[in-house]
């Protein structure tokens, strides 16, 4: 696997947009951010100056890029943002699966299991809310 040496992002330089709609990134005056002239997305350069992050509220995790000198490369470390939600989802699916197994073995307990599922759902929801709040 080839490793790409990333370059520091120059706020004065002209960059293409990673959206692949052949947009250009224009520096936004008085900020450390860039705006695309095609997709209207806003990208913020991180403190170290090497990583540019997408400013978005539509995705559960943020996407980030590094500049190789010719093109943007998706920063793999930024994908770590999705791990907590992935763990919660896996745990929930596993719990639902085992509860379903228990329900099949004792049909009279279906109502109790439905209550347990609702309780687990509420806890997962609360966990997600706290996780989202902690990220800000
Ligand atoms: Zn764009």
């Amino acid at each position: 696997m080839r490793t790409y040496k990333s370059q520091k992002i120059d706020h004065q330089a002209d960059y293409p947009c990673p959206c692949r709609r052949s947009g250009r990134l224009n520096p936004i005056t008085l900020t450390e951010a860039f705006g695309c002239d095609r997709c209207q997305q806003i990208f913020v350069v991180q403190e170290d100056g090497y990583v540019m992050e997408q400013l978005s509220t539509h995705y559960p995790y943020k996407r980030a890029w590094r500049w190789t000198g010719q093109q943007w490369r998706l920063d793999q470390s930024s994908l770590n943002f999705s791990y907590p939600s992935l763990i919660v989802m896996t745990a929930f699916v596993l719990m639902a699966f085992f509860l379903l197994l228990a329900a099949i073995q004792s049909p009279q307990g279906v109502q109790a299991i439905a209550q347990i599922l609702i309780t687990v759902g509420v806890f997962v929801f609360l966990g997600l809310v706290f996780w989202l709040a902690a990220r800000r």
Side-chain angles (χ1 to χ4, degrees):
M1 192 179 137
R2 240 181 103 183
T3 49
Y4 292 86
K5 201 176 184 310
S6 57
Q7 294 183 0
K8 204 163 177 138
I9 298 161
D10 180 6
H11 206 70
Q12 307 302 317
D14 192 27
Y15 294 112
C17 177
C19 69
R20 295 199 181 93
R21 288 188 220 168
S22 55
R24 304 297 304 178
L25 292 180
N26 301 311
I28 297 167
T29 325
L30 301 175
T31 66
E32 290 295 301
F34 288 97
C36 175
D37 60 359
R38 286 285 174 91
C39 62
Q40 310 300 323
Q41 299 268 23
I42 291 170
F43 302 93
V44 179
V45 179
Q46 286 182 356
E47 271 178 44
D48 65 2
Y50 286 95
V51 176
M52 181 183 78
E53 210 174 71
Q54 184 178 19
L55 201 73
S56 172
T57 52
H58 303 292
Y59 294 100
Y61 61 92
K62 285 178 182 169
R63 287 192 297 171
W65 293 267
R66 287 175 183 275
W67 181 248
T68 63
Q70 286 87 38
Q71 57 174 337
W72 293 107
R73 283 194 67 80
L74 203 64
D75 186 31
Q76 295 301 315
S77 64
S78 68
L79 296 174
N80 289 339
F81 279 112
S82 63
Y83 281 166
S85 61
L86 204 73
I87 290 163
V88 168
M89 291 281 277
T90 309
F92 185 68
V93 167
L94 276 175
M95 260 187 283
F97 176 72
F98 282 116
L99 286 170
L100 210 69
L101 268 184
I104 290 163
Q105 282 164 356
S106 60
Q108 69 270 31
V110 166
Q111 206 178 359
I113 279 150
Q115 283 173 338
I116 292 165
L117 268 180
I118 289 162
T119 311
V120 169
V122 167
F123 274 108
V124 168
F125 177 72
L126 284 174
L128 272 175
V129 167
F130 277 115
W131 173 64
L132 284 169
R135 282 179 59 222
R136 291 183 189 279

